[in-house]
């Protein structure tokens, strides 16, 4: 079979596998669908001879670790997550193929990449039985990764020589630095009253809005004065208000309690402690701030050999970039494990029309395969 036919067959397999997974709405609110997605992956992997499949669970979140028999700590570990974010459209979890892209929820974050990693595992272990390459798939990255990768490395003791996480950067952009993260709930109390007599109460929503406005104005001072590009990961602290709520269910009642959730991202030299102190001071006394998830800024220390493989396959220069977002890579870095973080071409992430470019999926497969062959001194 010609090399062209091989690539076309690979493209077809990657497309089919990605689209099949998109049909499974593996969101946080659907644990049975996450289980079904794991079963689907097991069916694609357990027929490959010489592989051991181990399942783990913490707080209702499953993980799957695939390694060759007798290999506890593979030199190269492919790592991804199958959980996708919630969409309100009841029929939203399907896909279309247009203009060389797969459109659908989770296509680029990151079911397309899982398809690539599954195909890599099957290909490498078919041609190089027992090769020191493993795969870890988790189901809680979108909510912080505590029950997934953190649990696997900190409590199960999973180790590797280097991790490949196709969840950031781009095809020729390898992520070197990631911002720190704070997800926090800000709660404001007041005093209830009838809506027709607001002077008898203290409106918790209005009091909270004043604090949030003050917080927004504070973070606005970090933004540059010149216009900024939408596509650039800007290296300064940001704060996004992502949820607001009150327990109030009555139209004519002044609420006595209100809360908001904020997503704060920050580069060095800030850290979690200094940023929390800064936010607390800005909000002032009289409200409560509760951290829901925190992560320090992370240096990923990618293997230079991965950059070489990327340049060889693409024929293009490689950029080392910094990312506003975070990934599960930080948990590996806590144990000194280098992380290679790049991915195929993707777009509209977390939108209903999220997409992944099919040709770039094939290219990324070839990059990872070339890298593993070079790193492990295998014959191509």
């Amino acid at each position: 079979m010609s090399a062209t036919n091989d690539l076309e067959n690979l493209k077809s397999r990657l497309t089919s596998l990605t689209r099949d997974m998109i049909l499974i709405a593996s969101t946080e609110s659907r644990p049975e669908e996450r289980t079904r997605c794991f079963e689907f992956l097991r069916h694609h992997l357990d027929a490959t001879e010489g592989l051991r499949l181990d399942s783990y669970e913490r707080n209702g979140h499953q993980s799957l670790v695939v390694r060759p028999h007798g290999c506890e700590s593979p030199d190269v570990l492919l790592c991804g997550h199958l959980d996708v974010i919630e969409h309100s459209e009841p029929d939203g979890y399907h896909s279309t193929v247009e203009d060389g892209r797969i459109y659908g929820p989770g296509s680029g974050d990151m079911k397309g990449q899982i398809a690539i990693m599954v195909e890599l595992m099957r290909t490498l272990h078919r041609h190089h039985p027992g090769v020191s390459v493993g795969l870890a798939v988790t189901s809680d990255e979108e909510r912080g990764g505590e029950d997934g990768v953190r649990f696997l490395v900190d409590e199960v003791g999973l180790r590797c020589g280097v991790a490949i996480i196709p969840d950031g950067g781009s095809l020729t952009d390898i992520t070197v630095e990631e911002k720190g993260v704070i997800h926090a709930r800000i709660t404001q109390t007041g005093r209830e009253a009838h809506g027709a007599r607001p002077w008898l109460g203290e409106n918790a929503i209005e009091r909270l809005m004043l604090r949030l406005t003050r917080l927004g104005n504070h973070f606005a001072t970090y933004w540059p004065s010149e216009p900024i590009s939408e596509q650039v990961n800007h290296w300064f602290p940001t704060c996004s208000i992502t949820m607001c709520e009150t327990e109030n269910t009555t139209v004519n009642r002044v609420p006595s309690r209100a809360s908001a959730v904020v997503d704060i991202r920050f580069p060095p030299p800030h850290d979690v402690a200094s940023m929390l102190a800064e936010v607390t001071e800005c909000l002032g006394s009289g409200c409560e701030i509760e951290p829901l998830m925190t992560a320090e800024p992370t240096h990923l220390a990618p293997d230079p050999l991965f950059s070489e493989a990327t340049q060889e396959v693409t024929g293009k220069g490689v950029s080392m970039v910094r990312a506003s977002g975070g990934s599960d890579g930080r948990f590996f870095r806590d144990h000194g494990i280098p992380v290679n973080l790049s991915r195929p071409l993707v777009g509209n992430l977390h939108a209903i029309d999220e997409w992944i470019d099919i040709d770039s999926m094939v290219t990324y497969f070839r990059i990872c395969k070339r890298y593993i062959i070079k790193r492990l001194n295998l014959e191509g």
Side-chain angles (χ1 to χ4, degrees):
M1 186 177 292
S2 70
T4 300
N5 286 337
D6 283 344
L7 290 179
E8 287 301 315
N9 287 335
L10 174 61
K11 183 187 297 187
S12 177
R13 292 195 305 274
L14 293 176
T15 301
S16 297
L17 184 53
T18 301
R19 298 190 70 190
D20 286 345
M21 280 190 287
I22 291 172
L23 288 171
I24 305 174
S26 47
T27 66
E28 175 63 22
S29 68
R30 298 175 175 93
E32 71 286 349
E33 290 293 272
R34 299 200 306 271
T35 296
R36 191 158 74 93
C37 200
F38 276 114
E39 291 173 351
F40 178 81
L41 292 177
R42 292 183 71 95
H43 291 166
H44 278 267
L45 288 162
D46 61 11
T48 303
E49 292 186 8
L51 292 183
R52 160 187 158 202
L53 281 65
D54 296 312
S55 294
Y56 301 91
E57 187 273 337
R58 184 178 188 271
N59 294 330
H61 295 103
Q62 296 182 55
S63 298
L64 175 66
V65 179
V66 185
R67 289 166 285 193
H69 287 296
C71 177
E72 290 298 316
S73 301
D75 187 68
V76 178
L77 181 70
L78 308 167
C79 183
H81 64 90
L82 58 74
D83 54 310
V84 298
I85 69 160
E86 304 277 351
H87 288 285
S88 58
E89 295 86 343
D91 60 345
Y93 294 91
H94 65 270
S95 67
T96 59
V97 176
E98 298 179 28
D99 301 322
R101 295 173 174 177
I102 303 171
Y103 287 87
S107 55
D109 187 17
M110 55 179 300
K111 288 182 173 177
Q113 292 92 315
I114 290 178
I116 294 168
M117 292 187 287
V118 167
E119 281 297 316
L120 276 167
M121 286 293 289
R122 296 198 300 192
T123 299
L124 289 166
H125 286 278
R126 184 169 63 248
H127 291 100
H128 306 279
V131 65
S132 189
V133 177
L135 168 66
V137 180
T138 63
S139 60
D140 75 326
E141 193 274 346
E142 297 293 358
R143 66 191 304 272
E146 285 291 313
D147 298 331
V149 172
R150 189 212 61 79
F151 171 70
L152 291 177
V153 298
D154 288 356
E155 299 185 39
V156 175
L158 179 64
R159 295 291 184 272
C160 59
V162 62
I164 297 177
I165 305 179
D167 198 19
S170 191
L171 200 59
T172 56
D173 291 343
I174 299 173
T175 303
V176 180
E177 305 277 353
E178 293 180 325
K179 286 183 179 179
V181 185
I182 297 174
H183 292 165
R185 177 177 286 108
I186 301 167
T187 301
Q188 175 68 61
T189 57
R191 187 171 70 252
E192 64 184 0
H194 195 289
R197 295 181 289 276
W199 56 86
L200 298 179
E202 291 183 347
N203 193 313
I205 292 178
E206 294 176 356
R207 297 182 71 192
L208 178 63
M209 288 173 59
L210 291 173
R211 295 184 190 273
L212 294 177
T213 298
R214 190 157 64 232
L215 189 64
N217 290 338
H218 172 75
F219 275 90
T221 63
Y222 285 115
W223 286 62
S225 56
E226 66 273 9
I228 59 177
S229 166
E230 294 180 3
Q231 301 303 319
V232 176
N233 288 308
H234 297 279
W235 208 237
F236 53 80
T238 61
C239 177
S240 298
I241 302 167
T242 57
M243 289 188 281
C244 287
E245 60 185 2
T246 175
E247 60 193 19
N248 203 0
T249 58
T250 305
V251 173
N252 61 348
R253 173 180 177 267
V254 172
S256 61
R257 187 179 182 88
S259 66
V261 174
V262 294
D263 182 335
I264 298 168
R265 309 291 173 129
F266 54 93
H270 305 277
D271 57 23
V272 169
S274 67
M275 189 55 63
L276 278 174
E278 190 172 313
V279 170
T280 300
E281 181 180 0
C282 179
L283 290 171
S285 61
C287 71
E288 176 186 344
I289 179 167
E290 175 194 3
L292 304 175
M293 189 278 285
T294 64
E296 300 289 358
T298 305
H299 176 73
L300 296 174
D303 184 350
L305 204 59
F306 191 81
S307 176
E308 290 181 23
T310 300
Q311 188 160 355
E312 289 171 3
V313 171
T314 64
K316 299 178 180 179
V318 175
S319 299
M320 298 296 167
V321 300
R322 301 182 296 195
S324 298
S327 72
D328 281 334
R330 65 185 184 275
F331 300 117
F332 290 103
R333 293 300 299 139
D334 286 343
H335 296 272
I337 298 170
V339 175
N340 298 326
L341 189 73
S342 63
R343 63 183 165 197
L345 303 178
V346 299
N348 296 344
L349 299 183
H350 288 192
I352 198 72
D353 60 347
E354 182 175 320
W355 58 264
I356 186 167
D357 178 83
I358 299 171
D359 284 340
S360 73
M361 294 173 70
V362 174
T363 302
Y364 190 78
F365 175 97
R366 294 174 58 215
I367 289 170
C368 291
K369 183 180 177 184
R370 174 73 62 90
Y371 167 70
I372 292 169
I373 287 172
K374 289 167 70 77
R375 180 179 172 93
L376 301 184
N377 296 312
L378 305 174
E379 294 183 3

